[in-house]
Amino acid sequence: MSMKNVIPTYEDLLKENEKLRNKLSTLKLTGNNQFLEDLINNINDPVFVKDASSRLVLANDAFCEIFNLPRDLILGKTLAESVPPTEREQFLKIDQAVISTGIVSLVEELLTISERKTKTIITRKSRYTDNNGTHFLIGVIHDITALKQVEEELILAREKAEESDRLKSAFLANMSHEIRTPMNAVLGFAQLLKKGNITEEKKKKYLDYIDTGGQRLLNIISDIVDISKLEAQQLPLYYEDTNLNTLIDNLKDQFVIHPINTGTEIRTIKGLDDAESIVFVDGTRLAQILSNLLENAIKFTKKGVVEFGYTIDDEKLAFFVKDNGIGIASSDQKNIFDRFIRVDNQQNKSEQGNGLGLAIAKSLVHLLEGEIRVESEVGKGTTFYFNIPYSISKKTVDVKKEANLNLKENNDITILIAEDEFLNFKYLKSILTRLKYNILHAKNGKVAVELLEENERIDLVLMDINMPIMTGFEAIAKIRKFNTTVPIIALTAYAMAEDRKRVVESGFNDYLSKPLSEHELFKKIEKHVGH
């Protein structure tokens, strides 16, 4: 078939147009009203026509559908009687203005018909005058409810993002202050110690200041790491048999001598007997929650009383930390668990704090499938409550108290220190040589493996995890192939619970996190080597 036969000529188009005009003319003559009604009903947007008194004389299918109203019930009515009083006046006012002036109206408005869901609509209203001079109102509606909802959600999201940026900026400024303050003390007093001509009393005081500043820096770093992992939902839990009563006692002992405690009495309440107090829980995270709440309570309770502990309530462990300190205003209680938030008032402006402790506590409670809340009154004190599931352990408790350390000088004990950082090695060596131990040094994992292969008289290994040439994990994998008995204790700056799990699974006998505690180090030595 040729192209000439496919493309219509101008004459062909004229003939087709004539046929169409004849067809439309026939429609007008035979079914004019039905044709117009079909056209209007096929318009997707709601269309309506009202008389001069705002009564509906026409409404298409889309109009009936958007308001879920049958046509036979709305024709002849204004619909003003079906909208709330707050919308009614504006509803009729616009209609009358358009009919009387002929000025087209295009407005965004809320419309609630017969207590149904409120719609946000844009309505274009114009006046039509027929051949008899009768005025009618023609309206076309565009439903923007969904669009408005998206717009509001975007505005809310933007406000949240701006608030988040503001809080993070405030947080960074606060962190800078929190870090620089103890760092100033650490560096400042270290410089004073280097000058010499200092009395022993002042030297001891300066060293205490340096120790306090270092501990504060460590706490800040731990909080930042924890909040980052919680935000990323990458903080795993490690459930194990935990002695609740021992945990409570240890926390009490810790905070009785804590630097922030300037005379606060600490009391405890235990809901289980010692013989029944082993439960299956992540003890590290539980202690962290209580520690954060206790630190907060003691900080704002000068020479008062702080009481903490637990009871059993409806198959849950119900914990509490109660103080009779300055209290929290009701207006601040709703924000007290938010991240990067500190409640500041005239009584606590001088107190340290990075605004993360309570946020971490709340996140950890939720991670343990529990709930936390606060009750407080200004000037009368604060009580934090939280609960977690109560899972009973099948083990029984050894109620004997921990024995005092009884390490003695012993030049028959040889300890290998695998540590690449020279200052860390010097610190460990200084501690251990006081007990006359023989000390060997390996600067990396490879040297540690070689020394153990050559020397069968090594009694204990203290091994750093992160070393050059060969890491602690790589070294122990090789060592355990030829020596399965020598105790090896991991030393690491990675202090998370998941790191401890990996250490144990890799063949280490024990675990110490940096910065090392001299007391904890001696406890490990006594445990694995004895006297």
Side-chain angles (χ1 to χ4, degrees):
M1 183 182 293
S2 66
M3 292 295 294
K4 186 177 179 180
N5 294 330
V6 174
I7 301 174
T9 63
Y10 177 68
E11 289 78 10
D12 293 333
L13 291 174
L14 288 177
K15 290 178 182 179
E16 290 297 324
N17 287 342
E18 185 64 27
K19 290 179 181 178
L20 180 59
R21 278 197 299 272
N22 292 335
K23 185 174 181 180
L24 289 173
S25 177
T26 303
L27 285 171
K28 283 183 67 178
L29 292 172
T30 58
N32 186 44
N33 291 338
Q34 184 62 45
F35 175 66
L36 290 176
E37 186 177 339
D38 288 344
L39 284 177
I40 294 171
N41 283 330
N42 275 278
I43 297 173
N44 290 328
D45 285 330
V47 176
F48 62 90
V49 178
K50 295 182 178 181
D51 63 15
S53 299
S54 287
R55 291 175 300 206
L56 283 166
V57 296
L58 183 148
N60 71 347
D61 289 348
F63 184 92
C64 298
E65 183 178 342
I66 190 175
F67 298 117
N68 194 24
L69 294 169
R71 187 179 286 104
D72 57 346
L73 292 182
I74 60 175
L75 293 180
K77 296 181 178 180
T78 65
L79 288 188
E81 61 273 13
S82 300
V83 301
T86 53
E87 299 176 10
R88 190 173 301 151
E89 182 179 353
Q90 184 72 5
F91 183 88
L92 294 174
K93 185 177 180 181
I94 296 173
D95 284 5
Q96 294 305 313
V98 173
I99 290 174
S100 61
T101 65
I103 299 174
V104 174
S105 168
L106 184 65
V107 295
E108 178 183 315
E109 57 187 335
L110 297 175
L111 193 59
T112 311
I113 301 293
S114 300
E115 299 182 353
R116 291 179 173 83
K117 184 178 179 181
T118 300
K119 299 278 187 180
T120 304
I121 59 176
I122 293 178
T123 307
R124 185 184 189 278
K125 296 178 180 179
S126 60
R127 187 179 72 183
Y128 166 72
T129 305
D130 66 8
N131 294 332
N132 299 320
T134 305
H135 294 322
F136 294 90
L137 182 76
I138 299 177
V140 179
I141 295 173
H142 184 56
D143 183 8
I144 61 168
T145 304
L147 182 63
K148 204 70 178 175
Q149 183 177 349
V150 171
E151 180 183 331
E152 290 172 356
E153 289 173 354
L154 288 173
I155 292 172
L156 183 61
R158 185 186 67 188
E159 290 174 350
K160 284 185 176 180
E162 290 173 350
E163 177 67 4
S164 177
D165 285 342
R166 186 188 70 77
L167 290 174
K168 286 180 180 179
S169 296
F171 166 71
L172 290 174
N174 190 37
M175 281 297 101
S176 177
H177 173 268
E178 288 293 319
I179 290 172
R180 288 174 183 273
T181 300
M183 184 62 76
N184 181 64
V186 170
L187 296 177
F189 286 110
Q191 291 292 329
L192 291 175
L193 286 172
K194 289 168 66 176
K195 290 182 178 181
N197 298 322
I198 301 173
T199 65
E200 286 299 319
E201 183 181 354
K202 278 192 175 181
K203 185 183 294 185
K204 182 179 183 303
K205 186 180 293 185
Y206 291 171
L207 289 171
D208 287 340
Y209 291 153
I210 291 172
D211 181 62
T212 300
Q215 289 297 326
R216 184 174 165 192
L217 282 170
L218 181 62
N219 290 338
I220 292 169
I221 293 168
S222 297
D223 282 349
I224 293 172
V225 170
D226 282 344
I227 205 70
S228 299
K229 289 211 167 194
L230 286 165
E231 281 188 334
Q233 296 183 339
Q234 292 180 349
L235 189 69
L237 295 176
Y238 294 98
Y239 282 79
E240 58 188 357
D241 290 327
T242 301
N243 189 327
L244 273 187
N245 289 359
T246 299
L247 185 149
I248 295 292
D249 289 338
N250 288 343
L251 284 172
K252 179 182 177 180
D253 293 342
Q254 174 187 336
F255 280 96
V256 163
I257 61 172
H258 199 288
I260 65 170
N261 190 343
T262 58
T264 304
E265 180 186 354
I266 301 177
R267 304 171 183 168
T268 61
I269 290 188
K270 304 167 190 173
L272 294 169
D273 294 332
D274 287 344
E276 301 172 338
S277 64
I278 288 189
V279 298
F280 193 64
V281 70
D282 188 326
T284 300
R285 296 306 171 192
L286 176 57
Q288 185 177 1
I289 296 166
L290 287 167
S291 180
N292 284 0
L293 296 178
L294 281 167
E295 185 169 343
N296 191 75
I298 294 171
K299 189 187 301 181
F300 301 116
T301 307
K302 303 299 183 184
K303 301 185 185 303
V305 177
V306 169
E307 186 176 73
F308 77 103
Y310 69 95
T311 59
I312 307 300
D313 183 19
D314 193 23
E315 298 185 357
K316 289 183 181 292
L317 291 169
F319 293 88
F320 70 93
V321 177
K322 180 180 181 180
D323 67 67
N324 59 0
I326 63 176
I328 305 166
S330 57
S331 58
D332 292 324
Q333 291 177 26
K334 61 182 179 180
N335 300 321
I336 197 70
F337 293 109
D338 289 351
R339 294 168 185 180
F340 316 127
I341 292 291
R342 285 187 66 207
V343 176
D344 290 316
N345 56 44
Q346 294 300 319
Q347 299 183 71
N348 69 7
K349 280 187 175 179
S350 63
E351 296 297 339
Q352 303 170 3
N354 54 42
L356 291 178
L358 294 180
I360 290 172
K362 178 183 178 181
S363 296
L364 289 175
V365 168
H366 287 173
L367 203 59
L368 291 169
E369 300 180 4
E371 295 294 332
I372 188 169
R373 62 186 176 89
V374 61
E375 292 180 2
S376 184
E377 187 174 345
V378 174
K380 294 187 177 181
T382 302
T383 305
F384 286 93
Y385 300 93
F386 72 92
N387 60 65
I388 59 174
Y390 176 28
S391 298
I392 304 172
S393 171
K394 294 181 180 179
K395 290 186 178 180
T396 57
V397 181
D398 183 359
V399 298
K400 292 186 294 184
K401 293 291 184 180
E402 183 182 278
N404 292 325
L405 289 175
N406 190 28
L407 290 171
K408 298 177 182 178
E409 295 180 2
N410 191 334
N411 54 16
D412 290 331
I413 291 178
T414 300
I415 296 178
L416 169 63
I417 302 174
E419 171 64 72
D420 63 306
E421 289 287 344
F422 178 71
L423 291 179
N424 289 343
F425 166 70
K426 290 291 289 184
Y427 169 63
L428 286 169
K429 183 178 179 181
S430 298
I431 294 173
L432 298 174
T433 50
R434 295 208 314 261
L435 294 175
K436 309 297 184 183
Y437 295 152
N438 300 309
I439 304 299
L440 299 177
H441 182 209
K443 294 183 179 180
N444 56 62
K446 184 174 182 293
V447 175
V449 173
E450 292 170 353
L451 286 173
L452 277 165
E453 285 179 323
E454 297 167 0
N455 193 335
E456 296 181 356
R457 295 205 47 160
I458 294 175
D459 300 289
L460 178 71
V461 181
L462 301 175
M463 183 175 291
D464 184 32
I465 293 296
N466 190 15
M467 292 185 291
I469 301 177
M470 185 181 292
T471 69
F473 287 122
E474 293 169 335
I476 196 168
K478 292 182 177 294
I479 292 168
R480 289 310 184 206
K481 290 179 180 179
F482 64 84
N483 190 330
T484 59
T485 58
V486 62
I488 304 179
I489 299 174
L491 309 177
T492 177
Y494 302 108
M496 307 303 291
E498 57 267 33
D499 300 315
R500 181 179 61 187
K501 182 181 179 184
R502 184 184 176 194
V503 162
V504 173
E505 291 174 346
S506 298
F508 288 92
N509 298 86
D510 222 321
Y511 172 100
L512 280 170
S513 60
K514 297 178 181 179
L516 297 176
S517 159
E518 182 177 335
H519 180 73
E520 288 298 317
L521 174 61
F522 284 148
K523 279 172 61 177
K524 301 296 185 185
I525 292 173
E526 183 180 50
K527 175 181 175 182
H528 295 288
V529 179
H531 306 319

